[in-house]
């Protein structure tokens, strides 16, 4: 798929979808009208929510997460276009053509800060389809940017396969076999051909189409050609036919499909002429050359240079197959390479060949397909590069090794480390990097001179080489600094033991020309992936750990500790900020309306806790609630939520309820009932206007005690609701354990109501269960009128979701109540 910037005009090429071109100005005007003075982008709610109507099916909502775009919501048309109805997935999970179109349009819109109109092309079922993509950048109330992308197809499309066949210079034909009374192929009829075939057969296309070959009049009617076509049909396989004329040569590639034959016609005149030229240069060429059979790989001919270079006699050569000059460990790769060869090939790599005396040589091979004595073969020329490879190996060794110690150098070490990391990352294995530095080495140089220092470094290298074996690698980075990579998923304990042993080995005394030398060693260790996923990061962090080891007096090893410190610091910061937030009143409640479907009115509000951090802005409850639970703050925070929600509900009409979520930790505190009584007494709210929402985790521990608390709350007159019903393991058994007033249908079942029958069946079953048990059913996450219609039809009592409103601050509740607009059924 290719996306390109388009002008707003329809242009002159193709018949465009005029309805789509009515939609785009509407969306562009809607975007412009929603742009408020002083703001760079309009708000998401002002553009993408409201009266979009049928346009909603054509819109996909894109959001940024971890610096990558992903699909947050998508309409039905979009889901058909993507062939994917999932939400909250990265663009990389979508078909590449659609992902590219959406990604480029959204990126351009974000970069320009304006709506961006692009076109996209993709192939579906052999047809090239053209789509227009309008990306609308908007701001999110939670920070960041959301992009709504509108997608619609133009009317113009064309068949890709027909276009390719019509445009190619190669001839393409289809023949149908005609059988005689005995069932044998007797003749053939041309049922399809392209202009290239007509040109090569030197007949008008109309004169060839539907013509029987037995009627004569063209190159395919020769008796020998018809005989070979009959054989191919009878065998049901494929073949190749050569047609040689006075001035040109044609090659037919034939494939049988039952009684149908597919033919490709190629003009091979130039190839045949070049084969003659090659033959003239073959026999006396000083370069080793041979011809082998393309099917059997038998040598068909060898020149004198090949006989002399390989040492086999000509007679022996002509009795051999190609694989007999290959080392057995390369048979598979040689065979695979031959299967991929076309008419002309260059080996692209050096191969090993065996000479008659058993010695191996390195060669480059070059060849081309030729016809040899009526057989399909390959002419091959061989270049012996054995001596060149030896010289290159010596140069490569010098480039990758330290000249003094012959250990690997820094460049080679980094290459090997990168390779080890690439191999370890998919499997989640560790790679260890050890930076080694000699203690007191400077004293050796100062006392005995650099020649003794160099001899000492060579001795150190020998000891390192004896300890670092197998896939492990040791390198000299420079001076008296060495590095080791241990790629085989070592544990921290194994790395520690290895470092201790290495320090002992390197610290033993050295005898250099009768001079006794003693040095120590310090080691810093970094382990992937915790201490870094890249070569540079691991080496830098191992070096930092080495610095710590040297600072601690030397002769020891130290691990890099950044990750542990960072995690602990992040957790400490969160705990400190949470306690400060509670003391400073940084928490607030937002309220999302609960809508009674039958009465078409707001029956209540669910209270949702929000944290407005003074520096970070809004912090997700998913981040701070678990920490608040771990440190015990959730009990005090939960009591505050209860008091605040009850007090706020006193400002609402008396028939509007408030719902409060409870944490399982609040049940463990055993003060929950008293907290509810206190909140009701403090606010004066009637218990019948308070709903308490719990999840199934309340039942997973201390079930009897928690059930007793729930019964006490019911005795107060408070309603109890089961949240996220249907997603747990034992939801039905919980209904037997406690008489709930309400069950909330999880949003995962509501999202796909209009497209998936299993979701409809689940919603129907839960609604029926609620009616049977006299329990109210509330559906969460309602975002479209279609979903609302389904829920209404299935007998659901109550709904909540963005279709009506997102959660709003307490100051906006009165406006929600007074401005509520009932959502009528589409059918109405």
């Amino acid at each position: 798929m290719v996306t390109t910037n388009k002008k707003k005009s329809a242009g002159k090429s193709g018949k465009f979808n005029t309805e789509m071109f009515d939609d785009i100005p509407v969306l562009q005007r809607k975007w412009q009208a929603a742009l408020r003075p002083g703001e760079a982008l309009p708000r998401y709610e002002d553009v993408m929510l409201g009266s979009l109507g049928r346009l909603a099916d054509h819109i996909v909502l894109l959001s940024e997460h971890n610096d990558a775009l992903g699909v947050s919501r998508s309409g039905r048309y979009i889901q058909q276009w993507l062939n994917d109805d999932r939400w909250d997935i990265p663009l990389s999970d979508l078909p590449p053509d659609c992902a590219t179109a959406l990604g480029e349009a959204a990126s351009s819109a974000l970069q320009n800060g304006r709506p961006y109109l692009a076109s996209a092309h993709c192939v579906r079922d052999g047809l090239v389809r053209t789509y227009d993509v309008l990306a609308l950048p908007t701001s999110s109330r939670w920070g960041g940017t959301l992009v709504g992308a509108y997608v619609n197809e133009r009317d113009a499309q064309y068949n890709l396969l027909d276009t390719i066949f019509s445009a190619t210079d190669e001839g393409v034909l289809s023949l149908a076999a005609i059988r005689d009374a005995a069932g044998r192929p007797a003749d053939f009829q041309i049922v399809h051909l392209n202009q290239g075939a007509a040109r090569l057969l030197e007949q008008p296309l109309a004169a060839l189409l539907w013509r029987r070959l037995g009627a004569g009049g063209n190159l395919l009617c020769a008796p020998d050609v018809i005989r070979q076509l009959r054989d191919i049909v009878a065998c049901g396989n494929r073949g190749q036919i050569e047609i040689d004329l006075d001035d040109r040569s044609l090659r037919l590639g034939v494939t049988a499909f039952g009684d149908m034959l597919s033919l490709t016609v190629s003009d091979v005149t130039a190839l045949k002429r070049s084969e003659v030229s090659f033959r003239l240069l073959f026999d006396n060429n000083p370069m080793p050359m041979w011809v082998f059979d393309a099917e059997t790989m038998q040598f068909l001919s060898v020149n004198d240079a090949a006989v002399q270079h390989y040492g086999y006699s000509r007679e022996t050569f002509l009795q051999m197959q190609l694989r007999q000059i290959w080392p057995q460990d390369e048979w598979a790769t040689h065979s695979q390479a031959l299967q991929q060869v076309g008419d002309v090939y260059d080996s692209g790599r050096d191969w090993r060949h065996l000479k008659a005396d058993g010695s191996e040589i390195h060669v480059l091979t070059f060849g081309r397909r030729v016809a040899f004595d009526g057989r399909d073969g390959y002419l091959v020329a061989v270049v012996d590069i054995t001596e060149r490879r030896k010289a290159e190996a010596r140069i490569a060794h010098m480039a990758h090794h330290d000249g003094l110690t012959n250990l690997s150098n820094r460049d080679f070490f980094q290459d090997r480390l990168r390779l080890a990391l690439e191999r370890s990352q998919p499997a989640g294995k560790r790679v260890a990097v050890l930076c080694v530095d000699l203690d007191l080495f400077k004293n050796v140089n100062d006392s005995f001179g650099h020649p003794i220092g160099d001899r000492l470094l060579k001795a150190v290298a020998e000891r390192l080489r004896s300890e670092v074996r197998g896939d492990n690698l040791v390198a000299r980075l420079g001076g008296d600094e060495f590095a080791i990579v241990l790629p085989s998923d070592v544990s921290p304990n194994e790395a520690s033991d290895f470092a201790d042993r290495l320090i002992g080995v390197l610290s033993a005394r050295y005898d250099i020309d009768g001079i006794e030398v003693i040095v120590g060693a310090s080691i810093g260790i970094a382990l992937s992936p915790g201490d870094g996923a890249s070569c540079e990061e691991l080496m830098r962090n191992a070096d930092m750990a080495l610095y710590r080891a040297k600072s601690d007096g030397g002769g020891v090893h130290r691990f890099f500790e950044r990750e542990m410190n960072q995690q602990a610091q992040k957790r400490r910061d969160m705990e400190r900020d949470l306690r400060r937030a509670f003391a400073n009143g940084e928490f607030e409640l937002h309220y999302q309306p609960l809508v009674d479907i039958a009465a078409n009115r707001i029956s209540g509000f669910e209270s949702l806790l929000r944290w407005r951090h003074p520096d970070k802005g809004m912090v997700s409850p998913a981040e701070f609630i678990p920490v608040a639970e771990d440190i015990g703050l959730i009990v005090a925070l939960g009591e505050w939520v209860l008091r605040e929600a009850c007090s706020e509900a006193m400002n609402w009409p008396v028939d509007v309820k408030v719902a409060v979520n409870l944490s399982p930790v609040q049940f463990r505190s055993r003060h929950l009932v008293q907290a509810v009584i206190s909140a009701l007494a403090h606010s004066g709210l009637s218990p019948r206007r308070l709903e308490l929402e719990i999840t199934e985790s309340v039942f997973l521990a201390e079930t009897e005690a928690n059930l007793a608390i729930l019964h006490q709350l019911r005795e107060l007159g408070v309603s109890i609701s089961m949240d996220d019903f249907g997603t747990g393991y034992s939801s039905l058994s919980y209904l037997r354990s406690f008489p709930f007033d309400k069950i909330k249908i999880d949003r995962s079942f509501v999202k796909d109501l209009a497209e998936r029958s299993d979701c409809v069946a689940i919603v129907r079953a839960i609604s029926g269960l609620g009616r049977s048990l006299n329990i109210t059913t509330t559906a969460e996450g309602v975002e479209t009128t279609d979903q609302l219609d389904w829920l209404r039809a299935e007998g659901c009592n109550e709904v909540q979701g963005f279709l009506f409103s997102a959660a709003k601050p307490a100051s906006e509740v009165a406006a929600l109540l007074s401005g509520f607009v009932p959502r009528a059924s589409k059918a109405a």
Side-chain angles (χ1 to χ4, degrees), residues 420-430 489 529:
L421 289 172
E422 289 173 4
R423 292 175 175 173
S424 69
Q425 285 167 356
K429 296 182 178 180
R430 298 186 190 91
D489 196 24

Side-chain angles (χ1 to χ4, degrees), residues 13-140:
S13 60
K15 179 182 177 184
F16 293 174
N17 188 324
T18 56
E19 185 182 66
M20 178 275 296
F21 273 91
D22 290 336
D23 293 345
I24 286 177
V26 168
L27 288 170
Q28 289 174 326
R29 286 195 298 270
K30 185 175 177 66
W31 185 94
Q32 189 64 45
L35 187 61
R36 302 182 183 183
E39 293 183 351
L41 295 175
R43 297 179 183 178
Y44 160 75
E45 292 85 358
D46 296 339
V47 178
M48 306 311 300
L49 297 181
S51 56
L52 288 178
R54 61 179 177 77
L55 299 185
D57 288 341
H58 290 258
I59 290 179
V60 54
L61 180 61
L62 306 175
S63 61
E64 286 186 309
H65 181 67
N66 292 332
D67 298 326
L69 284 171
V71 173
S72 293
R73 298 290 184 271
S74 56
R76 289 178 296 179
Y77 178 87
I78 296 294
Q79 292 171 3
Q80 294 174 0
W81 180 57
L82 299 176
N83 195 25
D84 196 329
D85 60 0
R86 295 177 296 165
W87 292 356
D88 298 322
I89 60 173
L91 286 185
S92 57
D93 284 3
L94 299 177
D97 50 359
C98 299
T100 300
L102 291 175
E104 292 189 2
S107 297
S108 297
L110 291 172
Q111 183 177 352
N112 296 332
R114 304 287 299 172
Y116 186 86
L117 180 60
S119 63
H121 307 283
C122 62
V123 179
R124 296 287 188 270
D125 301 323
L127 296 178
V128 178
R129 301 177 185 271
T130 303
Y131 296 83
D132 282 84
V133 182
L134 176 65
L136 300 167
T138 63
S139 64
S140 168

Side-chain angles (χ1 to χ4, degrees), residues 115 240 249 387 406 468 500 532 535 697:
Q240 187 170 283
S249 298
E387 292 304 317
N406 205 32
V468 182
D500 282 337
C535 168
S697 56

